[in-house]
Amino acid sequence: MNTTAILIGLGPLLGWGLYPTIASKIGGRPVNQILGSTLGTLIFALVFAVFNGMGLPTGMDLVFSILSGVGWAIAQIITFQSFTLIGSSRAMPITTAFQLLGASLWGVFALGDWPGMNAKLLGGLALVLIILGAWMTVWTEEKTKEKASILKKAVLLLAVGEIGYWAYSAAPQSTSIDGMHAFLPQAIGMLIVALVYSVILSVKDKEKSALAEAVSYKHIFSGFFFAFAALTYLISAQPDMNGLATGFILSQTSVVLATLTGIWFLGQKKTKKEMTITIIGLLLILAAAAMTVMI
Protein backbone atom coordinates (compact mmCIF):
# COMPACT_ATOMS: atom_id res chain seq x y z
CA MET A 1 0.00 0.00 0.00
CA ASN A 2 1.71 3.24 -1.10
CA THR A 3 1.49 6.58 0.68
CA THR A 4 -0.14 8.37 -2.26
CA ALA A 5 -2.94 5.81 -2.40
CA ILE A 6 -3.58 6.15 1.34
CA LEU A 7 -3.69 9.95 1.21
CA ILE A 8 -6.12 9.89 -1.71
CA GLY A 9 -8.16 7.26 0.13
CA LEU A 10 -8.50 9.61 3.10
CA GLY A 11 -9.72 12.52 0.96
CA PRO A 12 -13.38 11.66 1.74
CA LEU A 13 -12.60 12.02 5.46
CA LEU A 14 -12.73 15.79 4.96
CA GLY A 15 -15.30 16.04 2.17
CA TRP A 16 -17.89 13.52 3.34
CA GLY A 17 -17.09 14.28 6.97
CA LEU A 18 -18.21 17.91 6.62
CA TYR A 19 -20.85 17.44 3.93
CA PRO A 20 -23.79 16.23 6.11
CA THR A 21 -23.14 18.87 8.76
CA ILE A 22 -22.94 21.70 6.22
CA ALA A 23 -26.08 20.45 4.45
CA SER A 24 -27.96 20.23 7.76
CA LYS A 25 -26.72 23.66 8.83
CA ILE A 26 -27.90 25.31 5.59
CA GLY A 27 -31.28 23.68 6.15
CA GLY A 28 -34.25 23.39 3.83
CA ARG A 29 -36.16 20.29 2.81
CA PRO A 30 -34.46 17.11 1.56
CA VAL A 31 -35.37 18.18 -1.99
CA ASN A 32 -33.52 21.49 -1.51
CA GLN A 33 -30.51 19.65 -0.14
CA ILE A 34 -30.28 17.10 -2.93
CA LEU A 35 -30.90 19.66 -5.68
CA GLY A 36 -28.23 22.08 -4.50
CA SER A 37 -25.76 19.32 -3.68
CA THR A 38 -26.03 17.76 -7.12
CA LEU A 39 -25.73 21.17 -8.81
CA GLY A 40 -22.54 21.79 -6.85
CA THR A 41 -21.23 18.35 -7.75
CA LEU A 42 -21.95 18.91 -11.45
CA ILE A 43 -20.17 22.29 -11.42
CA PHE A 44 -17.16 20.70 -9.71
CA ALA A 45 -17.15 17.78 -12.16
CA LEU A 46 -17.43 20.07 -15.21
CA VAL A 47 -14.50 22.20 -14.05
CA PHE A 48 -12.45 19.08 -13.37
CA ALA A 49 -13.26 17.59 -16.78
CA VAL A 50 -12.46 20.80 -18.68
CA PHE A 51 -9.22 21.34 -16.75
CA ASN A 52 -8.07 17.80 -17.57
CA GLY A 53 -9.36 17.80 -21.13
CA MET A 54 -11.81 14.96 -20.50
CA GLY A 55 -14.92 14.32 -22.58
CA LEU A 56 -17.93 12.18 -21.77
CA PRO A 57 -17.40 8.42 -22.06
CA THR A 58 -19.52 6.49 -24.55
CA GLY A 59 -21.53 3.26 -24.70
CA MET A 60 -21.96 1.20 -21.56
CA ASP A 61 -19.26 3.20 -19.78
CA LEU A 62 -21.57 6.21 -19.97
CA VAL A 63 -24.68 4.21 -19.03
CA PHE A 64 -23.16 2.57 -15.94
CA SER A 65 -21.58 5.82 -14.78
CA ILE A 66 -24.92 7.66 -15.00
CA LEU A 67 -26.67 4.77 -13.22
CA SER A 68 -24.04 5.03 -10.49
CA GLY A 69 -24.97 8.68 -9.96
CA VAL A 70 -28.67 7.84 -10.01
CA GLY A 71 -28.11 5.26 -7.27
CA TRP A 72 -26.28 7.74 -5.07
CA ALA A 73 -28.87 10.48 -5.46
CA ILE A 74 -31.78 8.19 -4.56
CA ALA A 75 -29.90 6.92 -1.52
CA GLN A 76 -28.93 10.42 -0.45
CA ILE A 77 -32.54 11.64 -0.59
CA ILE A 78 -33.42 8.82 1.81
CA THR A 79 -30.46 9.73 4.02
CA PHE A 80 -31.54 13.39 4.16
CA GLN A 81 -34.98 12.20 5.25
CA SER A 82 -33.39 10.17 8.04
CA PHE A 83 -31.59 13.33 9.21
CA THR A 84 -35.00 14.87 9.95
CA LEU A 85 -35.81 11.88 12.17
CA ILE A 86 -32.66 11.27 14.21
CA GLY A 87 -30.12 13.91 13.15
CA SER A 88 -26.96 13.51 11.09
CA SER A 89 -24.74 12.52 14.04
CA ARG A 90 -26.83 9.35 14.57
CA ALA A 91 -27.82 8.65 10.97
CA MET A 92 -24.28 8.75 9.56
CA PRO A 93 -22.88 5.84 11.63
CA ILE A 94 -25.91 3.70 10.71
CA THR A 95 -25.59 4.35 6.99
CA THR A 96 -21.85 3.80 7.29
CA ALA A 97 -22.40 0.29 8.64
CA PHE A 98 -24.86 -0.59 5.86
CA GLN A 99 -22.60 0.83 3.16
CA LEU A 100 -19.58 -1.05 4.46
CA LEU A 101 -21.42 -4.34 4.40
CA GLY A 102 -22.74 -3.78 0.89
CA ALA A 103 -19.80 -2.27 -0.97
CA SER A 104 -16.96 -4.03 0.83
CA LEU A 105 -18.45 -7.52 0.55
CA TRP A 106 -19.17 -6.85 -3.13
CA GLY A 107 -15.55 -5.84 -3.61
CA VAL A 108 -14.27 -8.97 -1.87
CA PHE A 109 -16.52 -11.63 -3.37
CA ALA A 110 -17.28 -10.18 -6.80
CA LEU A 111 -14.13 -8.24 -7.61
CA GLY A 112 -11.44 -10.23 -5.82
CA ASP A 113 -10.27 -7.65 -3.30
CA TRP A 114 -8.53 -8.90 -0.15
CA PRO A 115 -7.00 -12.00 -1.81
CA GLY A 116 -6.01 -14.88 0.47
CA MET A 117 -7.57 -16.23 3.64
CA ASN A 118 -5.50 -14.07 6.02
CA ALA A 119 -6.52 -10.90 4.20
CA LYS A 120 -10.19 -11.92 4.27
CA LEU A 121 -10.03 -12.72 7.99
CA LEU A 122 -8.36 -9.40 8.78
CA GLY A 123 -10.83 -7.53 6.58
CA GLY A 124 -13.76 -9.39 8.14
CA LEU A 125 -12.56 -8.44 11.62
CA ALA A 126 -12.28 -4.84 10.48
CA LEU A 127 -15.89 -4.92 9.26
CA VAL A 128 -17.09 -6.33 12.58
CA LEU A 129 -15.26 -3.58 14.47
CA ILE A 130 -16.71 -0.87 12.26
CA ILE A 131 -20.25 -2.17 12.68
CA LEU A 132 -19.74 -2.40 16.45
CA GLY A 133 -18.32 1.11 16.49
CA ALA A 134 -21.26 2.44 14.47
CA TRP A 135 -23.73 0.81 16.88
CA MET A 136 -21.96 2.41 19.85
CA THR A 137 -22.31 5.87 18.31
CA VAL A 138 -26.12 5.60 18.25
CA TRP A 139 -26.46 4.08 21.72
CA THR A 140 -28.77 6.13 23.91
CA GLU A 141 -28.96 6.25 27.69
CA GLU A 142 -32.61 7.28 27.89
CA LYS A 143 -34.68 4.70 26.02
CA THR A 144 -38.36 5.33 25.23
CA LYS A 145 -40.83 3.62 22.92
CA GLU A 146 -41.12 6.79 20.87
CA LYS A 147 -37.36 7.10 20.40
CA ALA A 148 -37.08 3.40 19.59
CA SER A 149 -39.84 3.70 16.99
CA ILE A 150 -38.21 6.72 15.33
CA LEU A 151 -34.81 5.00 15.32
CA LYS A 152 -36.35 1.85 13.82
CA LYS A 153 -37.96 3.89 11.04
CA ALA A 154 -34.65 5.63 10.31
CA VAL A 155 -32.76 2.33 10.24
CA LEU A 156 -35.26 0.84 7.79
CA LEU A 157 -34.98 3.91 5.56
CA LEU A 158 -31.18 3.72 5.58
CA ALA A 159 -31.25 -0.02 4.87
CA VAL A 160 -33.30 0.65 1.74
CA GLY A 161 -30.97 3.49 0.82
CA GLU A 162 -28.02 1.09 0.91
CA ILE A 163 -29.22 -0.34 -2.43
CA GLY A 164 -28.53 3.01 -4.04
CA TYR A 165 -25.16 3.44 -2.35
CA TRP A 166 -24.20 -0.07 -3.44
CA ALA A 167 -25.05 0.83 -7.04
CA TYR A 168 -22.98 4.00 -6.72
CA SER A 169 -19.90 2.03 -5.71
CA ALA A 170 -20.38 -1.10 -7.79
CA ALA A 171 -21.70 0.18 -11.14
CA PRO A 172 -18.41 1.79 -12.32
CA GLN A 173 -16.61 -1.44 -11.48
CA SER A 174 -18.70 -3.19 -14.16
CA THR A 175 -16.91 -1.24 -16.89
CA SER A 176 -13.37 -0.45 -17.90
CA ILE A 177 -13.77 3.26 -17.11
CA ASP A 178 -11.62 4.80 -14.37
CA GLY A 179 -12.93 6.95 -11.54
CA MET A 180 -11.89 10.29 -13.01
CA HIS A 181 -13.69 9.65 -16.32
CA ALA A 182 -16.77 8.34 -14.49
CA PHE A 183 -17.05 11.45 -12.35
CA LEU A 184 -18.85 13.78 -14.79
CA PRO A 185 -21.51 11.30 -15.99
CA GLN A 186 -22.13 10.33 -12.36
CA ALA A 187 -22.79 13.98 -11.55
CA ILE A 188 -25.22 14.14 -14.50
CA GLY A 189 -27.09 11.10 -13.15
CA MET A 190 -27.28 12.70 -9.71
CA LEU A 191 -28.74 15.94 -11.05
CA ILE A 192 -31.29 14.08 -13.20
CA VAL A 193 -32.68 12.38 -10.08
CA ALA A 194 -32.73 15.66 -8.16
CA LEU A 195 -34.63 17.43 -10.94
CA VAL A 196 -37.15 14.61 -11.32
CA TYR A 197 -37.66 14.47 -7.54
CA SER A 198 -38.21 18.23 -7.44
CA VAL A 199 -40.79 18.13 -10.23
CA ILE A 200 -42.65 15.16 -8.71
CA LEU A 201 -42.92 16.86 -5.31
CA SER A 202 -44.10 20.15 -6.74
CA VAL A 203 -46.82 18.40 -8.78
CA LYS A 204 -47.86 15.79 -6.22
CA ASP A 205 -47.89 17.96 -3.10
CA LYS A 206 -48.52 21.28 -4.88
CA GLU A 207 -45.50 22.71 -3.09
CA LYS A 208 -43.34 25.53 -4.34
CA SER A 209 -40.73 24.06 -6.67
CA ALA A 210 -37.31 23.63 -5.10
CA LEU A 211 -35.91 25.19 -8.27
CA ALA A 212 -37.53 28.48 -7.22
CA GLU A 213 -36.24 28.43 -3.63
CA ALA A 214 -33.04 30.27 -2.75
CA VAL A 215 -32.03 27.69 -0.13
CA SER A 216 -31.57 25.10 -2.89
CA TYR A 217 -28.77 27.15 -4.43
CA LYS A 218 -27.07 27.68 -1.08
CA HIS A 219 -26.58 23.92 -1.04
CA ILE A 220 -24.27 24.21 -4.06
CA PHE A 221 -21.60 24.98 -1.46
CA SER A 222 -22.21 21.67 0.34
CA GLY A 223 -22.10 19.97 -3.06
CA PHE A 224 -18.49 21.06 -3.51
CA PHE A 225 -17.54 19.13 -0.37
CA PHE A 226 -19.36 16.04 -1.59
CA ALA A 227 -17.73 16.33 -5.02
CA PHE A 228 -14.22 16.50 -3.58
CA ALA A 229 -14.90 13.41 -1.50
CA ALA A 230 -16.51 11.56 -4.41
CA LEU A 231 -13.61 12.24 -6.76
CA THR A 232 -10.94 11.11 -4.32
CA TYR A 233 -13.00 8.02 -3.46
CA LEU A 234 -13.49 7.05 -7.10
CA ILE A 235 -9.75 7.29 -7.69
CA SER A 236 -8.97 5.42 -4.47
CA ALA A 237 -11.37 2.55 -5.30
CA GLN A 238 -9.57 1.68 -8.53
CA PRO A 239 -7.69 -1.69 -8.53
CA ASP A 240 -4.29 0.00 -9.05
CA MET A 241 -4.85 2.21 -5.99
CA ASN A 242 -6.58 0.83 -2.86
CA GLY A 243 -9.28 -1.34 -4.47
CA LEU A 244 -12.99 -1.07 -3.76
CA ALA A 245 -13.06 -2.83 -0.38
CA THR A 246 -10.16 -0.98 1.27
CA GLY A 247 -10.88 2.28 -0.56
CA PHE A 248 -14.45 2.25 0.65
CA ILE A 249 -13.55 1.53 4.26
CA LEU A 250 -10.97 4.33 4.25
CA SER A 251 -13.61 6.70 2.89
CA GLN A 252 -16.01 5.79 5.68
CA THR A 253 -13.67 7.19 8.32
CA SER A 254 -15.59 10.35 7.38
CA VAL A 255 -18.23 9.17 9.85
CA VAL A 256 -15.93 10.36 12.65
CA LEU A 257 -15.94 13.98 11.46
CA ALA A 258 -19.62 13.84 10.46
CA THR A 259 -20.64 12.58 13.89
CA LEU A 260 -18.55 14.99 15.93
CA THR A 261 -19.41 18.09 13.87
CA GLY A 262 -23.09 17.14 14.05
CA ILE A 263 -22.85 17.07 17.83
CA TRP A 264 -20.75 20.22 18.18
CA PHE A 265 -22.29 22.50 15.56
CA LEU A 266 -25.88 21.30 15.11
CA GLY A 267 -26.90 20.93 18.73
CA GLN A 268 -27.45 17.17 18.47
CA LYS A 269 -26.74 16.70 22.16
CA LYS A 270 -25.54 13.58 23.96
CA THR A 271 -25.16 12.83 27.67
CA LYS A 272 -21.69 12.42 29.12
CA LYS A 273 -22.03 8.62 29.07
CA GLU A 274 -23.40 8.62 25.50
CA MET A 275 -20.53 10.85 24.39
CA THR A 276 -17.95 8.53 25.99
CA ILE A 277 -19.42 5.46 24.25
CA THR A 278 -19.63 7.41 20.99
CA ILE A 279 -15.94 8.33 21.17
CA ILE A 280 -15.00 4.69 21.84
CA GLY A 281 -17.12 3.64 18.86
CA LEU A 282 -15.43 6.18 16.61
CA LEU A 283 -11.99 4.99 17.75
CA LEU A 284 -13.00 1.44 16.84
CA ILE A 285 -13.92 2.63 13.36
CA LEU A 286 -10.55 4.36 12.94
CA ALA A 287 -8.69 1.30 14.23
CA ALA A 288 -10.55 -0.96 11.82
CA ALA A 289 -9.82 1.36 8.90
CA ALA A 290 -6.13 1.28 9.83
CA MET A 291 -6.24 -2.54 9.78
CA THR A 292 -7.43 -2.56 6.19
CA VAL A 293 -4.41 -0.48 5.15
CA MET A 294 -2.20 -3.40 6.23
CA ILE A 295 -3.99 -5.89 3.97
Side-chain angles (χ1 to χ4, degrees):
M1 194 74 68
N2 63 68
T3 303
T4 300
I6 295 173
L7 290 175
I8 292 174
L10 288 173
L13 170 62
L14 179 63
W16 280 336
L18 293 175
Y19 169 64
T21 300
I22 293 172
S24 296
K25 190 70 174 178
I26 292 172
R29 296 173 290 148
V31 64
N32 302 122
Q33 295 170 322
I34 195 67
L35 183 59
S37 295
T38 54
L39 278 171
T41 300
L42 182 61
I43 292 170
F44 190 103
L46 281 169
V47 171
F48 178 80
V50 170
F51 183 81
N52 290 281
M54 295 178 176
L56 280 173
T58 58
M60 295 310 294
D61 287 346
L62 177 61
V63 171
F64 277 107
S65 297
I66 290 177
L67 287 176
S68 172
V70 168
W72 176 86
I74 293 173
Q76 192 60 41
I77 290 170
I78 293 173
T79 300
F80 280 141
Q81 290 173 339
S82 75
F83 287 178
T84 65
L85 294 173
I86 58 175
S88 61
S89 66
R90 284 186 164 87
M92 288 306 296
I94 298 171
T95 192
T96 294
F98 283 132
Q99 290 179 59
L100 283 165
L101 283 172
S104 298
L105 292 177
W106 173 261
V108 171
F109 294 110
L111 304 177
D113 290 340
W114 299 352
M117 184 56 66
N118 288 337
K120 285 183 173 60
L121 288 174
L122 188 61
L125 176 59
L127 283 176
V128 171
L129 289 178
I130 289 177
I131 293 170
L132 175 61
W135 174 81
M136 293 176 72
T137 63
V138 297
W139 181 84
T140 180
E141 191 171 3
E142 183 183 346
K143 297 178 176 64
T144 65
K145 287 185 177 180
E146 182 180 1
K147 286 184 177 180
S149 177
I150 292 173
L151 180 60
K152 182 179 179 180
K153 183 178 180 180
V155 170
L156 290 174
L157 277 174
L158 293 169
V160 173
E162 161 52 23
I163 298 172
Y165 285 131
W166 169 80
Y168 170 65
S169 297
Q173 304 294 325
S174 301
T175 70
S176 58
I177 193 172
D178 61 57
M180 291 188 291
H181 286 84
F183 189 37
L184 179 55
Q186 280 183 324
I188 293 172
M190 294 172 185
L191 183 58
I192 289 172
V193 171
L195 290 172
V196 171
Y197 182 52
S198 176
V199 171
I200 290 174
L201 281 186
S202 62
V203 172
K204 179 183 176 183
D205 300 331
K206 296 182 180 180
E207 296 178 341
K208 184 178 181 181
S209 173
L211 288 165
E213 294 177 318
V215 68
S216 296
Y217 300 97
K218 292 180 181 179
H219 278 284
I220 290 175
F221 179 67
S222 65
F224 291 153
F225 281 83
F226 169 80
F228 170 76
L231 179 60
T232 52
Y233 165 64
L234 289 170
I235 297 172
S236 170
Q238 295 302 306
D240 58 345
M241 294 297 287
N242 295 308
L244 180 61
T246 299
F248 192 80
I249 288 181
L250 286 174
S251 76
Q252 294 306 297
T253 57
S254 61
V255 71
V256 176
L257 194 56
T259 301
L260 293 179
T261 55
I263 294 169
W264 293 334
F265 300 117
L266 299 178
Q268 297 171 7
K269 302 298 183 182
K270 288 178 178 282
T271 66
K272 185 176 180 180
K273 188 173 183 179
E274 288 172 347
M275 193 64 188
T276 299
I277 294 177
T278 293
I279 295 296
I280 295 173
L282 294 176
L283 289 174
L284 282 178
I285 293 173
L286 288 177
M291 287 171 57
T292 67
V293 175
M294 298 185 293
I295 298 177

